[in-house]
């Protein structure tokens, strides 16, 4: 079954990822099943973070997928799949210039240096492979005003000046996610180079908080485990996992 072929509308829910997790505990869920919410009361971002979305204004959804023999150490490839698909969706469907779009490691998509989408992948391990994964997406579609703590957020409406119907945009997004899923299934690493080319700040020097200190590093890319690779002034290199460093905008 293709992604989004089975689509369920949820009025209000704590989070679409949590909803999918409950369904999986109850029994089998078909690959590609997509659940989207009008309102989330407890939207989830990366551990310790929340996803805040104005009810009825944005794309907020999760998909259940079954990676073919994907090892847990390579789970970040799922993040690359969703990231590449979202950038392609924003460019192809809304005609947003590719030059202003990028994927900001580890789980955001940015437009004009502002956050337009977030991704949350949660997976379950069975033996030496992933049994299933829940891929959650929050994309700012029509929202115009954001809380002060989200001052760097932007929406598609900001960029295009147009209000976009949620269902039509969701169907188009699901089609591109399905297209890139087929590419991913043929060769899980096939999207890696595309992801690296889209990487926000690649080959540029940026400031980060690392071990409590402000440190400048040049972004070289991501490694096979999805860690951000930085080069420092002394020519040394180090790969970082999420929460081992913090971006300074």
């Amino acid at each position: 079954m293709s992604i989004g072929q089975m689509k369920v509308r949820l009025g209000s829910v704590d989070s679409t990822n949590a909803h999918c997790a409950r369904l999986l505990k109850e029994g089998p869920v078909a690959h590609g099943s997509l659940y989207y919410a009008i309102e989330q009361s407890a939207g989830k971002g990366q551990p310790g973070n929340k996803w805040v979305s104005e009810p009825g204004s944005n794309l907020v959804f999760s998909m259940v997928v079954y990676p073919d023999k994907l090892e847990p150490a390579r789970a970040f490839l799922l993040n690359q799949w969703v990231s590449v698909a979202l950038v392609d969706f924003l460019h192809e469907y809304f005609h947003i210039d590719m030059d202003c779009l990028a994927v900001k490691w580890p789980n955001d998509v940015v437009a004009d240096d502002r956050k337009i989408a977030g991704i949350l992948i949660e997976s379950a391990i069975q033996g030496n492979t992933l049994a299933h994964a829940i891929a959650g997406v929050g994309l700012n579609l029509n929202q115009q005003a954001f809380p002060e703590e989200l001052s760097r957020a932007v929406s598609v409406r900001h960029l295009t000046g147009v209000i976009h119907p949620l269902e039509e945009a969701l169907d188009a997004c699901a089609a591109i996610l399905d297209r890139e899923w087929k590419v991913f299934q043929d060769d899980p690493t096939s999207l890696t180079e595309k992801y690296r080319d889209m990487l926000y700040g690649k080959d540029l020097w940026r400031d980060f908080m690392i071990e409590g200190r402000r440190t400048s590093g040049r972004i070289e890319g991501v490694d096979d485990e999805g860690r951000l690779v930085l080069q420092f002034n002394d020519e040394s290199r180090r790969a970082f996992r999420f929460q081992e460093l913090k971006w300074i905008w």
Side-chain angles (χ1 to χ4, degrees):
M1 188 167 74
S2 61
I3 290 171
Q5 183 175 336
M6 202 285 281
K7 182 176 66 175
V8 177
R9 180 184 186 274
L10 306 170
S12 180
V13 68
D14 49 357
S15 86
T16 55
N17 266 37
H19 180 80
C20 288
R22 288 191 292 269
L23 291 177
L24 284 161
K25 285 184 178 179
E26 294 171 2
V29 177
H31 168 81
S33 298
L34 187 153
Y35 300 84
Y36 71 103
I38 301 303
E39 180 179 11
Q40 282 192 136
S41 60
K44 298 164 66 177
Q46 288 291 335
N49 296 331
K50 295 180 179 180
W51 180 264
V52 179
S53 178
E54 183 178 85
S57 293
N58 304 313
L59 296 185
V60 182
F61 64 94
S62 296
M63 305 156 282
V64 176
V65 294
Y66 296 88
D68 185 19
K69 300 178 182 178
L70 187 64
E71 299 171 359
R74 303 171 71 206
F76 192 76
L77 292 171
L78 292 166
N79 188 295
Q80 294 182 9
W81 154 58
V82 179
S83 298
V84 166
L86 289 181
V87 169
D88 284 349
F89 166 60
L90 290 166
H91 173 63
E92 295 174 23
Y93 189 73
F94 300 111
H95 308 294
I96 298 171
D97 196 326
M98 282 292 287
D99 288 341
C100 82
L101 295 170
V103 291
K104 179 173 172 283
W105 181 91
N107 68 317
D108 293 336
V109 174
V110 296
D112 284 338
D113 295 322
R114 293 174 290 173
K115 181 173 179 175
I116 196 167
I119 300 161
L120 179 62
I121 308 291
E122 296 179 299
S123 55
I125 300 172
Q126 184 175 16
N128 296 320
T129 60
L130 296 184
H132 66 256
I134 302 168
V137 172
L139 188 147
N140 299 328
L141 187 64
N142 293 318
Q143 188 165 339
Q144 288 191 288
F146 292 89
E148 185 177 348
E149 66 269 21
L150 300 179
S151 60
R152 293 196 68 93
V154 69
S155 69
V156 174
R157 184 177 178 183
H158 285 146
L159 298 172
T160 63
V162 177
I163 298 175
H164 300 277
L166 261 66
E167 292 256 0
E168 292 178 19
L170 180 62
D171 288 343
C173 187
I176 292 176
L177 281 159
D178 187 65
R179 181 188 76 194
E180 298 302 331
W181 177 261
K182 292 181 173 65
V183 174
F184 171 80
Q185 285 293 85
D186 287 342
D187 178 6
T189 63
S190 59
L191 297 177
T192 297
E193 196 60 38
K194 195 171 180 180
Y195 176 89
R196 288 173 175 162
D197 288 342
M198 293 176 174
L199 191 61
Y200 180 72
K202 188 174 184 294
D203 298 325
L204 300 178
W205 290 86
R206 304 284 306 205
D207 286 341
F208 301 88
M209 288 298 295
I210 301 173
E211 297 174 351
R213 294 188 304 167
R214 188 177 185 127
T215 306
S216 182
R218 186 175 71 86
I219 300 172
E220 292 197 337
V222 294
D223 66 11
D224 291 341
E225 295 182 24
R227 298 178 299 179
L228 187 69
V229 180
L230 299 181
Q231 177 194 344
F232 299 102
N233 288 319
D234 62 1
E235 299 299 320
S236 65
R237 290 172 174 78
R238 183 176 166 190
F240 293 87
R241 298 187 186 280
F242 178 67
Q243 293 185 328
E244 291 182 336
L245 59 69
K246 181 179 179 181
W247 287 81
I248 298 177
W249 285 89

